[in-house]
Amino acid sequence: MKEELDKDIDQEIEPREMNPTEYRLLTLLFNFFRFPEGITLSSLRKIMEGFYDNENRDSDRRKLSRDIEELGALGFYIKYYPQKNGKDFVYVLVKDPLSKTLEFTEEELREISALLLKGYSEAPKYELYTAARKIFAGDLEYFPEMIENPEENSEELGETAFQILEALKNHTPIRIKYYKTFPEDSYLKEADPIRLIRKGGQDHYLLAYDREEKVKKRFLLPKILSVELLQGDPLYQARGAKKETEEDLIVHAGLFPVHESKNVEWICKEEGLVKAKLFLTGIKYAEEKNKLSFQSTNLEGLLPFLWRWPDAIETVLPEELNSVFRNSVKQISELYEKV
């Protein structure tokens, strides 16, 4: 057996010249190695002059597509992505073609994170946290920030949250120390926890039944300073007039019932569209190209986006919202002048 292997090794490989196609493919592959961030067809026409220099650009594009298929058959996989200008593509050599990855859209990530959070609020299990950490290891934008070991970090970050989750699991009344604006103005409130509500990928509210005022309220989790588990049975019963409604799940300030419902239209710049859609999470909107249309019962609740990204939107309707925005900026300016 050893002699047969040695015999095979001793056999020489007859060298031969590469044909033009093989030479082009090898040159193309080396250029993909040189530029791991990707290459456009326009760049290839410059650095591989003589290979892709047809007057008809589409002809070169078709030739490049055939070459990419050839490289793929040899085990070198190349993906392409459209550029923002829509006139060209970026071609990128896949670093590890054997590694299999899952890709999710933003909408799918939001749905998955919402289901995980719902599952945790109904039956708190640390396995759901670890599963979420694995699923969103690449980008946690669509899931709340988590801690690796809640027991070790409870004093710093998680004690309040896990007491609330324990109360939700066991249907236990709680006494919370809560504040609206400043921590020094905190107050005590006894409540029956109902569920956690997620806004976007970061803010979380506790929907609870106020045992004194006999109404359901939403409490922002970071503003709950402490939680005390109480003895006795909860007063809240999820039926009849106390049954949960869609209004109970509203956490977006733009939907707080301040005035009658008003039509709002935002025509966004291309780079601002995603930011606007993320801000509107929780509000039903219609999308037509770069225009977002929705209803708001609190125009002032939309101001945080306009303050932070005023250049993200080209047109704002109704004019009343523009007026509210201008007045708010004027008031802020006057306050800073007094400081």
Side-chain angles (χ1 to χ4, degrees):
M1 181 69 178
K2 182 178 182 298
E3 293 178 355
E4 293 179 357
L5 289 174
D6 291 340
K7 183 178 180 181
D8 291 338
I9 293 175
D10 291 337
Q11 290 180 351
E12 295 182 356
I13 298 175
E14 183 180 352
R16 64 178 179 84
E17 292 186 5
M18 287 187 293
N19 61 45
T21 299
E22 291 171 333
Y23 185 66
R24 185 179 70 248
L25 288 174
L26 185 60
T27 305
L28 177 62
L29 180 60
F30 282 156
N31 277 306
F32 278 117
F33 286 141
R34 286 179 57 199
F35 304 99
E37 70 280 3
I39 319 174
T40 64
L41 177 59
S42 299
S43 299
L44 280 172
R45 286 164 63 92
K46 294 179 181 179
I47 63 179
M48 292 186 63
E49 188 176 359
F51 295 103
Y52 304 103
D53 55 2
N54 196 300
E55 293 183 1
N56 187 336
R57 184 184 177 90
D58 288 336
S59 178
D60 277 344
R61 190 186 302 279
R62 289 192 292 271
K63 182 194 291 187
L64 177 60
S65 297
R66 291 194 297 270
D67 290 345
I68 287 176
E69 290 181 3
E70 289 287 341
L71 290 176
L74 296 173
F76 300 99
Y77 301 97
I78 296 163
K79 291 186 177 181
Y80 63 92
Y81 306 90
Q83 288 189 308
K84 289 185 177 180
N85 58 25
K87 298 180 180 179
D88 212 340
F89 294 89
V90 177
Y91 298 86
V92 182
L93 177 66
V94 178
K95 295 181 179 179
D96 184 5
L98 297 179
S99 64
K100 303 298 182 181
T101 59
L102 292 176
E103 295 184 1
F104 296 94
T105 64
E106 294 179 359
E107 290 74 15
E108 288 172 333
L109 286 174
R110 293 195 190 98
E111 290 299 324
I112 293 172
S113 63
L115 290 173
L116 285 169
L117 186 61
K118 179 181 179 182
Y120 200 104
S121 66
E122 294 177 351
K125 294 181 179 179
Y126 184 58
E127 288 76 11
L128 287 175
Y129 265 109
T130 57
R133 173 61 81 179
K134 294 172 184 176
I135 293 175
F136 295 92
D139 185 357
L140 293 177
E141 179 181 358
Y142 303 105
F143 199 85
E145 182 177 355
M146 296 174 291
I147 52 179
E148 296 294 342
N149 190 331
E151 295 180 358
E152 294 179 0
N153 297 277
S154 62
E155 291 185 1
E156 182 179 358
L157 292 175
E159 183 176 358
T160 297
F162 279 91
Q163 283 181 315
I164 291 175
L165 292 171
E166 186 68 21
L168 282 167
K169 177 181 178 181
N170 298 320
H171 304 287
T172 304
I174 57 176
R175 179 184 292 115
I176 62 174
K177 189 176 183 181
Y178 187 76
Y179 72 93
K180 292 184 177 180
T181 306
F182 302 106
E184 55 268 25
D185 296 330
S186 61
Y187 54 90
L188 296 176
K189 178 69 66 175
E190 292 189 3
D192 295 339
I194 300 173
R195 68 163 62 244
L196 290 176
I197 307 174
R198 177 182 68 97
K199 175 189 175 184
Q202 298 177 347
D203 295 338
H204 286 78
Y205 292 76
L206 170 66
L207 177 65
Y209 180 72
D210 189 316
R211 293 166 66 91
E212 180 181 355
E213 300 182 28
K214 312 297 184 189
V215 294
K216 287 171 286 186
K217 292 184 177 181
R218 293 174 290 268
F219 301 94
L220 188 61
L221 252 61
K223 293 189 175 184
I224 300 178
L225 300 177
S226 64
V227 178
E228 178 186 353
L229 301 180
L230 301 178
Q231 299 294 326
D233 298 326
L235 301 179
Y236 175 74
Q237 299 295 328
R239 60 174 181 266
K242 297 179 182 178
K243 188 176 181 180
E244 291 178 52
T245 64
E246 292 186 3
E247 287 74 18
D248 292 330
L249 306 182
I250 293 176
V251 295
H252 201 293
L255 295 180
F256 290 169
V258 177
H259 51 66
E260 72 281 2
S261 182
K262 298 182 180 181
N263 295 321
V264 180
E265 288 186 1
W266 286 355
I267 298 180
C268 307
K269 296 181 180 178
E270 183 176 353
E271 63 274 14
L273 183 61
V274 173
K275 295 178 181 178
K277 291 167 67 174
L278 287 175
F279 173 79
L280 294 176
T281 299
I283 296 180
K284 294 181 180 179
Y285 58 81
E287 181 178 358
E288 181 181 352
K289 294 184 178 180
N290 283 8
K291 183 174 75 172
L292 301 177
S293 305
F294 56 94
Q295 298 286 320
S296 174
T297 52
N298 181 24
L299 293 181
E300 290 188 357
L302 306 175
L303 291 179
F305 181 83
L306 300 179
W307 289 333
R308 186 172 183 182
W309 291 294
D311 297 331
I313 302 180
E314 293 181 349
T315 304
V316 174
L317 291 175
E319 179 56 34
E320 181 183 353
L321 179 55
N322 282 301
S323 178
V324 170
F325 173 66
R326 288 193 295 267
N327 289 337
S328 67
V329 173
K330 181 180 179 181
Q331 293 175 4
I332 294 172
S333 177
E334 292 174 349
L335 287 174
Y336 271 98
E337 289 176 357
K338 294 178 181 179
V339 176

